[in-house]
Amino acid sequence: MIDGYGGPMAQIVVWGHRESLRSRRTALSHAIHAAVVEALDYPIEKRFHRFVGLDDEDFMHPQTRSQQYVIIEISMFEGRSEAAKRLLIERLFERIETEAATSPEDVEITIVETPRSSWGIRGRNAADLTLDYRVEV
């Protein structure tokens, strides 16, 4: 085991309309990170976000969604309680609305959990790492 490893606990991808996403990227990142830190007891210094801006013809969705529509995909190690995941989703909706001026109607969130053995980090299998944070929250 490698002791004290502080690698990714959650990888986040945000999909949206290119121009809209560009103008809100910083606010979205701050809102998302604050929600993750609060709900998952996540280390504040760790932020793993990717923003994928799509042209309108490449991002099809119902007309009931606006140009601010985003899909947030969160990949993380398994082990969080249902309560922690529910809190995360609740905080994401709240913070994105207040800090990134995006209606909850324009936000969709998915959480995908995988065993640590399904992650490769810095040349190692994550199951072989001793983490410097808790996963079981």
Side-chain angles (χ1 to χ4, degrees):
M1 293 281 207
I2 298 172
D3 291 327
Y5 178 74
M9 172 159 123
Q11 292 280 343
I12 299 170
V13 179
V14 180
W15 303 83
H17 290 276
R18 185 178 312 283
E19 292 306 315
S20 177
L21 200 55
R22 182 178 291 134
S23 67
R24 297 176 300 137
R25 182 176 31 233
T26 299
L28 282 165
S29 183
H30 288 314
I32 291 166
H33 190 61
V36 170
V37 167
E38 179 182 355
L40 301 181
D41 194 26
Y42 190 79
I44 197 163
E45 70 278 4
K46 299 187 186 311
R47 185 183 304 217
F48 297 95
H49 298 175
R50 293 178 307 283
F51 290 83
V52 181
L54 299 166
D55 293 327
D56 290 348
E57 62 269 12
D58 294 325
F59 194 37
M60 297 176 203
H61 52 77
Q63 291 183 350
T64 55
R65 305 301 191 277
S66 78
Q67 286 294 108
Q68 291 190 329
Y69 176 62
V70 292
I71 299 171
I72 300 169
E73 296 177 352
I74 303 169
S75 298
M76 59 188 187
F77 297 159
E78 64 186 358
R80 274 61 174 210
S81 67
E82 181 177 333
K85 291 180 277 190
R86 286 177 162 278
L87 180 61
L88 174 59
I89 290 170
E90 179 182 316
R91 292 298 183 263
L92 284 165
F93 282 127
E94 290 171 358
R95 288 185 174 275
I96 290 170
E97 182 173 28
T98 60
E99 298 172 30
T102 303
S103 166
E105 295 293 319
D106 276 329
V107 178
E108 291 190 23
I109 302 161
T110 57
I111 297 173
V112 178
E113 296 179 287
T114 56
R116 285 176 46 185
S117 62
S118 295
W119 289 65
I121 303 167
R122 293 189 186 172
R124 305 225 186 254
N125 188 286
D128 298 330
L129 305 174
T130 300
L131 305 175
D132 64 356
Y133 54 82
R134 294 179 324 127
V135 172
E136 294 79 18
V137 294

